[in-house]
Amino acid sequence: MSGVRFDTIIVGAGSAGCVLANRLSADPARRVCLVEAGPRDRSPLIHIPAGLLATLPTRHMNWAFQTVPQAGLGGRRGYQPRGRTLGGSSSVNAMIYMRGHRADYDGWAALGNPGWSYADVLPVFRRSEDQQRGADEFHGTGGELTVSDLATPVAAARAFVDCALGAGLAANRDFNGASQDGAGLYQVTQRRGRRCSAAVAFLDPALARPNLTVLTGRHATRIVLEGGAASGIEVEGPGGTARIDAAREVILSAGVFGSPQLLLLSGIGPREELARHGIAQRQELPGVGANLTDHVDLALVYRSSDPRLMGITLRTALRAVPGYFAWRWRGTGLLTTNFAEAGAFLRTRAGLDRPDVQLHFVNGLVDDHARRLHYGYGISCHVAVLRPKSRGTVRLRSGNPREAPAIDPNFLAEDEDVATLVAGVKRARDIMEGAPLAPHRGAELFADGDGDDALVARIRRRADTIYHPVGSCRMGRDDMAVVDASLRVHGVEGLSVVDASVMPAIVSGNTNAPTIMIAEKAALARTA
Ligand SMILES: Cc1cc2nc3c(=O)[nH]c(=O)nc-3n(C[C@H](O)[C@H](O)[C@H](O)COP(=O)(O)OP(=O)(O)OC[C@H]3O[C@@H](n4cnc5c(N)ncnc54)[C@H](O)[C@@H]3O)c2cc1C
C-alpha cells in the first residue's frame, strides 16, 4: 500500500467503522480506506442468527479477550468477546436493538458535550433505522439498519413477559419509545431472519464505490504522527509491514479495547504508562484507557424439558435441518433466534430517575458464555447493572501491537454495584419463578442458599460481562477527556476516535445502536 494516499483512513470495520465508511465515501471526491484486522464476513455462522452459539465461545471471528484477574469476581479472569471481521462486534452480537434511556444522553450533554442530548441524537437514531413496524415519533424507516420483531420467538419468552407482568412490571412493546420501564420481547437487527450487522447494513451497499477501499487482514500497529498531526497508519498484513497515508484524517474505530491500545502504542496517553513500555510520548493524554465501564451481569439458570427451546440435544440437532431451510427460504424458525429474546428494565429502589437493572431472558442454558455446555434444555435470565459505579482501565501489556491489551473492567469494585446486582437478582428470581414459566422451568442450577451472603458469594463466583464495555477514550473537555464533542483527539490534528470507547458514561442498555448513532453523528459533522 506504500505510496497510496487516501483522504480518510478508518481503522476497524466494526459497528462504527462501517457506518463511517458508508457515509464518508458517499462523497465521490473523498478517498476513503477502511482497514480491518479480521477477515471478510463470509462465515454463515455470522448470518444465521443462531450461529452466535458457535462464535461467542470460540476464536472464530472473535478476539476472545481475557481480562486481568478481577478481585470483585473472586480473582477470576473475565471473558471479553469482540468481533474480528467486517461488522466487528455487530457480526457476533445478540442483535438486540436498544438505544438506552433518554436521560443517558441528556447526561452526556450535561457533562460538557454539546450536541449529544436526547433531542439531538433522536433524529440521528432515526436516520439509520429501517423500522419494520413503520415510522413514528421515535422510529425511522428507509435507513440502512433493519430493525424487526423476532420471526419465531419461543413460547417461553412470551411466558417470561407474562411472569414479569404478574410481578408488577408494565408491558412494554417498545423499549426505544416513550418509556423504557417494563417487560417485553426485544426487537432485533435482523432482515428477513438474517443478521443485519453494520457490515450488511452500511458497508455492503457502498462496496462498489470506486473511492472506497476496504482492506481486510490488516492489523493497524501505529498511527504515524508528523509535527503534532496524524498523517497515516502502519499496518501488518500479508505483505509484511506497510504505511498508508491520510491527507485529511485518521479515524480510530477499533473498539473499546483496540482504539486506546493504538493511541498508547503511538505515544498518546498517560506519561507513566508510556514510559513503562519504553514508548516515546507524543501527546500527554492521561485519560487514554481510563474510565472503562461495563455492564456486570449474573445469569439465573434453570433446566427445562421444553423441546421447543434451543438445547444441546439430538432433537435440536435434527430440528436444525428443517430449521435451516425455514431460515433460508422464509427467514423463520429456530435458527433465527438471537437467544436473548425477551427482557425487562426495572428499578431496584425508589427515587431513581430511570431503570438501574436490565434483564435478558435467554432461550437456552447459559453457563460461562456458552464455553461450558450442558446436555439438555434450559432457560436463563441475565441480570445486568445498567449504570455501575466501578471504573476500570485498558492498558498495554507490552509495546508489541500483536499482544492483547491488559483489560481491567474492575468489576464490582464499588459496593453499590454489588447491592444493585443482589436486588436485581432477587427481582429476576421472582419473575423467573412465576406461574406462566412453570411448564418451561425445571430445577435451578448453580444456586446454593438464598440469603444475601450466599447470593453475593455466587455473584463473585459466576458474574461477568454482558458485553457492553465502553468509555476508554471518553469525550469531554476536562483533563481526563480523550476526544472533544466532535470526537477529535485533544491536542493531535487530524486524529479522531469514533466508536463505543468515546461514551462519556455507559448507556442504560445494549451498546450497538448507540455506537452506530455515534458514528452517524461523527459522519454528519464531517460531511456538513
Ligand atoms: C457477544 C456480544 C453480544 C452483544 N450483544 C449485543 C446486543 O444484542 N445488542 C447490542 O446493542 N449490543 C450488543 N453487543 C455490543 C455491541 O455489539 C458493541 O458495543 C458494538 O458492536 C461496538 O462497536 P465498535 O464499533 O465500538 O467496536 P467493534 O464493533 O468491536 O469494532 C471494532 C473493529 O475494529 C477491529 N480492530 C481492532 N483493532 C484493530 C487493529 N489494530 N487494526 C485493524 N482493525 C482492528 C476489530 O476487528 C473490529 O472489527 C454485544 C457484543 C458482544 C461481543
Side-chain angles (χ1 to χ4, degrees):
M1 278 328 283
S2 293
V4 182
R5 197 168 164 85
F6 295 93
D7 294 302
T8 306
I9 296 172
I10 303 160
V11 180
S15 300
C18 290
V19 175
L20 288 167
N22 179 315
R23 298 298 188 225
L24 298 182
S25 69
D27 171 3
R30 189 193 300 248
R31 293 156 305 166
V32 177
C33 181
L34 178 64
V35 177
E36 167 59 41
R40 303 201 85 88
D41 56 341
R42 293 213 182 97
S43 168
L45 297 172
I46 293 172
H47 303 287
I48 301 174
L52 168 60
L53 185 60
T55 54
L56 174 62
T58 66
R59 300 194 68 86
H60 186 65
M61 310 286 146
N62 181 355
W63 294 90
F65 293 123
Q66 304 274 340
T67 72
V68 303
Q70 296 293 288
L73 304 184
R76 282 181 295 129
R77 287 181 192 274
Y79 180 53
Q80 288 283 348
R82 293 283 99 190
R84 188 176 172 279
T85 178
L86 295 182
S89 298
S90 75
S91 288
V92 301
N93 73 10
M95 291 159 275
I96 295 167
Y97 182 77
M98 191 66 65
R99 297 171 180 174
H101 196 276
R102 64 166 62 215
D104 298 333
Y105 300 100
D106 290 339
W108 290 11
L111 286 169
N113 300 294
W116 293 91
S117 72
Y118 182 71
D120 293 317
V121 303
L122 178 59
V124 189
F125 278 116
R126 293 182 80 239
R127 176 187 159 91
S128 320
E129 188 183 7
D130 192 19
Q131 171 59 253
Q132 299 298 287
R133 294 176 181 172
D136 64 16
E137 182 190 347
F138 298 102
H139 295 283
T141 52
E144 287 78 0
L145 186 67
T146 308
V147 179
S148 60
D149 293 317
L150 274 166
T152 317
V154 289
R158 294 188 194 282
F160 166 84
V161 177
D162 291 340
C163 286
L165 305 192
L169 270 69
N172 193 338
R173 196 172 162 267
D174 181 9
F175 293 109
N176 301 301
S179 164
Q180 194 192 43
D181 293 73
L185 296 180
Y186 282 139
Q187 282 209 290
V188 287
T189 43
Q190 290 185 8
R191 187 184 292 162
R192 292 183 293 279
R194 289 168 158 70
R195 175 189 292 275
C196 187
S197 68
V200 167
F202 295 94
L203 191 58
D204 290 355
L207 280 178
R209 293 179 188 159
N211 60 323
L212 174 63
T213 302
V214 180
L215 301 175
T216 51
R218 306 298 204 292
H219 191 116
T221 53
R222 197 170 68 87
I223 304 152
V224 180
L225 296 164
E226 285 172 26
S231 60
I233 59 169
E234 274 179 12
V235 297
E236 283 177 6
T241 303
R243 178 177 160 155
I244 310 176
D245 292 324
R248 278 160 80 163
E249 193 177 19
V250 173
I251 303 180
L252 302 185
S253 297
V256 67
F257 306 130
S259 290
Q261 184 184 22
L262 266 170
L263 289 173
L264 294 168
L265 288 168
S266 311
I268 302 167
R271 185 182 308 274
E272 330 73 66
E273 166 74 356
L274 299 175
R276 191 167 35 247
H277 300 289
I279 298 170
Q281 185 168 55
R282 306 298 300 266
Q283 176 67 34
E284 166 80 352
L285 265 186
V288 173
N291 191 50
L292 178 66
T293 315
D294 196 1
H295 288 150
V296 66
D297 177 277
L298 180 80
L300 298 176
V301 187
Y302 299 82
R303 284 205 174 273
S304 175
S305 54
D306 176 358
R308 293 165 298 177
L309 293 163
M310 289 296 266
I312 308 294
T313 67
L314 182 61
R315 192 160 169 172
T316 303
L318 293 173
R319 283 178 67 216
V321 178
Y324 174 79
F325 292 106
W327 169 78
R328 220 184 144 123
W329 292 333
R330 295 192 300 276
T332 62
L334 83 163
L335 297 186
T336 61
T337 185
N338 72 327
F339 295 98
E341 296 188 1
F345 287 85
L346 53 88
R347 305 179 193 215
T348 60
R349 54 199 161 86
L352 294 171
D353 68 342
R354 59 198 123 148
D356 59 343
V357 160
Q358 180 181 4
L359 307 183
H360 292 86
F361 172 82
V362 177
N363 165 13
L365 193 164
V366 175
D367 186 9
D368 191 20
H369 313 272
R371 292 188 295 179
R372 216 168 295 136
L373 297 176
H374 297 255
Y375 186 81
Y377 299 102
I379 53 174
S380 311
C381 180
H382 282 279
V383 186
V385 178
L386 283 174
R387 284 177 310 287
K389 295 281 181 298
S390 307
R391 294 286 178 274
T393 54
V394 179
R395 299 276 181 243
L396 297 178
R397 281 181 208 277
S398 75
N400 175 2
R402 292 292 192 159
E403 193 168 4
I407 299 166
D408 181 7
N410 202 15
F411 282 133
L412 301 173
E414 299 286 338
D415 291 343
E416 192 179 317
D417 298 349
V418 180
T420 304
L421 193 48
V422 166
V425 168
K426 289 179 179 168
R427 294 282 297 278
R429 180 175 281 148
D430 279 350
I431 294 171
M432 289 298 282
E433 298 192 347
L437 269 173
H440 310 276
R441 187 185 59 230
E444 187 178 0
L445 294 177
F446 318 122
D448 37 14
D450 263 344
D452 280 11
D453 289 349
L455 206 47
V456 172
R458 176 172 170 194
I459 285 169
R460 304 254 185 238
R461 216 170 45 246
R462 299 196 60 84
D464 199 357
T465 180
I466 191 82
Y467 319 123
H468 303 149
V470 303
S472 53
C473 298
R474 79 165 165 81
M475 77 169 112
R477 48 188 181 206
D478 56 295
D479 288 349
M480 289 300 281
V482 175
V483 294
D484 64 18
S486 56
L487 309 186
R488 296 192 162 86
V489 174
H490 288 295
V492 185
E493 287 289 305
L495 182 63
S496 296
V497 181
V498 179
D499 57 29
S501 71
V502 304
M503 293 190 199
I506 196 163
V507 289
S508 310
N510 315 67
T511 44
N512 186 44
T515 306
I516 287 173
M517 178 279 290
I518 286 168
E520 279 279 18
K521 207 159 150 37
L524 281 168
R526 282 154 183 77
T527 49

